[in-house]
Amino acid sequence: MSEEDQSESVPSRYSRQVLFSGIGNEGQSRIMASRVAMVGCGALGTVQASLLVRAGVGTLRIIDRDFVEESNLQRQILFDEEDARAVLPKAVAAEKKLRLVNSLVNVEGLVEDVNASSIERLLQGFDLIVDAADNFDVRFLVNDYAVKSGIPWIYGACVGSYGLTFPILPGETACLRCVFESAPPAGASPSCDTAGVIGPIVSVIAGMQVAEALKILSSRRDQINRQITTIDLWANRHEVVDLPRPLPSCPCCGRLEFPYLDGSLGADVTTLCGRNSVQLRRREGTRIDLDDLARRLEPISRLERNRFLLRALIDGYQLTVFADGRAIIQGTYDLAVAKSLYARYVGN
Ligand SMILES: [Zn+2]
């Protein structure tokens, strides 16, 4: 194809990506016709969204329930102090920035919570889902949806200086539940809000996620990294293990049970009317180690404790967490705010 023909179909702004032999003109045309949905828009999300929009995907839908805070700015590269002062929803702030970056991309920022009742409406009709979520419940929900609908998705997570990522190609590679049989118990794993995180690991993991995204979107599945990659930038470790084939015994991709999608597993939310509070219930059988949670929250909040519950005052909200994982968040009627606080400080 002559240079002139190329420039008719592919704008010259993508010339360096077209020159790259792995993508070329055909790959770029496919990327430009693609629809990508991103679940969450925190650290990993802002980096991924920026790279995907610059790469020229056709549509990027960004779904996030949170607001920009000053403490996000150290790593959430799409946001600035003005967004934090205005308490803008992340999805709104991200859309605004990304439209300035590339007006050819249809960027949709949706201020919504991805849950069992909203997921189909939010993710239906997309070619690829990228993970930028802040908790395991929503990832298992996305996994249920992706496997059931046959949509590829790319898992990524980081905390501290450590990160982990792998792509999930339904029917070809292990799904999230093949790899992690069930969600780690609430409160058991560190989160960025309790253990901190450094910006570089975010860029590394998000960069790897988008590399796989570009391979999938440009139909270069032969190039996909079928490995689980873990990287620790502080401990200088980089490990890979081959991603297994789908496990026949996996409840999700093997037995085709989708309990997160039908709502029988995962977090459950209720508002306590008239009390400016939201109650979050956990699935049956959840136990939280309140001593461990107290140790993690101690440096960042004032705590009250008895043998039944732990109460923490954080960011002007009062979180009361019970040993069965139930929590009451006082100071809001907003389910999204409550779920976000729970995911950040209690964990999943
Ligand atoms: Zn599976």
Side-chain angles (χ1 to χ4, degrees):
M1 195 182 261
S2 76
E3 205 171 39
E4 210 167 305
D5 290 338
Q6 276 193 20
S7 62
E8 270 175 36
S9 53
V10 174
S12 58
R13 63 183 298 147
Y14 303 123
S15 63
R16 302 306 187 275
Q17 203 160 274
V18 169
L19 271 173
F20 172 65
S21 62
I23 291 182
N25 204 54
E26 203 185 314
Q28 185 61 37
S29 298
R30 289 187 174 164
I31 290 170
M32 284 157 49
S34 68
R35 291 170 56 78
V36 182
M38 196 174 81
V39 177
C41 190
L44 287 171
T46 53
V47 180
Q48 291 185 91
S50 178
L51 290 171
L52 288 166
V53 165
R54 286 168 201 277
V57 296
T59 291
L60 178 66
R61 173 173 288 180
I62 298 166
I63 311 153
D64 191 279
R65 62 184 181 208
D66 257 334
F67 298 83
V68 179
E69 293 170 69
E70 196 187 29
S71 66
N72 300 151
L73 305 182
Q74 162 252 3
R75 64 200 178 282
Q76 302 189 13
I77 61 161
L78 282 179
F79 309 135
D80 59 37
E81 292 178 2
E82 209 171 293
D83 301 327
R85 270 195 298 273
V87 204
L88 274 190
K90 290 182 178 179
V92 172
E95 181 188 305
K96 197 176 78 177
K97 298 282 156 56
L98 292 169
R99 283 181 182 275
L100 298 174
V101 169
N102 191 345
S103 57
L104 299 179
V105 178
N106 176 31
V107 185
E108 301 173 356
L110 302 184
V111 188
E112 297 230 30
D113 181 47
V114 177
N115 54 50
S117 23
S118 68
I119 189 164
E120 182 145 17
R121 171 173 58 82
L122 294 170
L123 297 185
Q124 189 170 253
F126 283 83
D127 303 310
L128 174 71
I129 302 163
V130 288
D131 173 24
D134 64 357
N135 69 85
F136 255 94
D137 275 329
V138 74
R139 290 189 175 104
F140 279 106
L141 176 66
V142 167
N143 188 64
D144 269 9
Y145 181 77
V147 168
K148 191 177 181 187
S149 323
I151 304 173
W153 76 284
I154 301 163
Y155 165 78
C158 45
V159 64
S161 59
Y162 168 87
L164 171 65
T165 179
F166 55 91
I168 290 145
L169 308 169
E172 284 180 51
T173 63
C175 81
L176 192 68
R177 288 193 82 189
C178 295
V179 177
F180 306 114
E181 200 174 308
S182 62
S189 47
S191 79
C192 296
D193 295 288
T194 56
V197 62
I198 55 170
I201 190 64
V202 174
S203 293
V204 169
I205 296 298
M208 293 185 73
Q209 287 180 278
V210 174
E212 299 314 307
L214 293 180
K215 294 173 192 173
I216 292 169
L217 298 175
S218 61
S219 298
R220 293 303 304 273
R221 285 194 172 222
D222 53 315
Q223 291 294 322
I224 289 172
N225 182 6
R226 291 161 198 261
Q227 290 174 318
I228 299 169
T229 304
T230 58
I231 294 178
D232 189 325
L233 294 179
W234 215 259
N236 310 314
R237 276 201 299 267
H238 178 184
E239 283 154 13
V240 293
V241 292
D242 285 341
L243 198 52
R245 297 269 309 152
L247 298 178
S249 61
C250 171
C252 182
C253 68
R255 300 204 301 266
L256 301 178
E257 298 162 6
F258 306 110
Y260 290 87
L261 212 49
D262 66 30
S264 55
L265 279 184
D268 183 9
V269 188
T270 39
T271 314
L272 303 176
C273 297
R275 288 175 50 186
N276 193 25
S277 300
V278 174
Q279 174 173 266
L280 292 145
R281 282 197 304 263
R282 302 290 307 185
R283 57 183 168 272
E284 290 295 305
T286 298
R287 298 302 297 172
I288 283 196
D289 183 339
L290 292 177
D291 291 327
D292 180 57
L293 183 62
R295 267 192 297 278
R296 288 188 295 113
L297 293 181
E298 204 162 27
I300 55 170
S301 76
R302 221 181 60 223
L303 300 181
E304 288 172 48
R305 174 74 209 273
N306 64 30
R307 50 193 273 253
F308 307 107
L309 61 85
L310 175 75
R311 178 167 288 165
L313 210 62
I314 301 178
D315 299 343
Y317 300 95
Q318 184 181 275
L319 271 76
T320 307
V321 184
F322 300 85
D324 65 356
R326 190 165 56 86
I328 294 171
I329 291 103
Q330 275 178 302
T332 183
Y333 288 107
D334 191 329
L335 305 184
V337 169
K339 284 177 89 170
S340 169
L341 286 164
Y342 191 95
R344 289 165 60 183
Y345 295 108
V346 184
N348 274 271

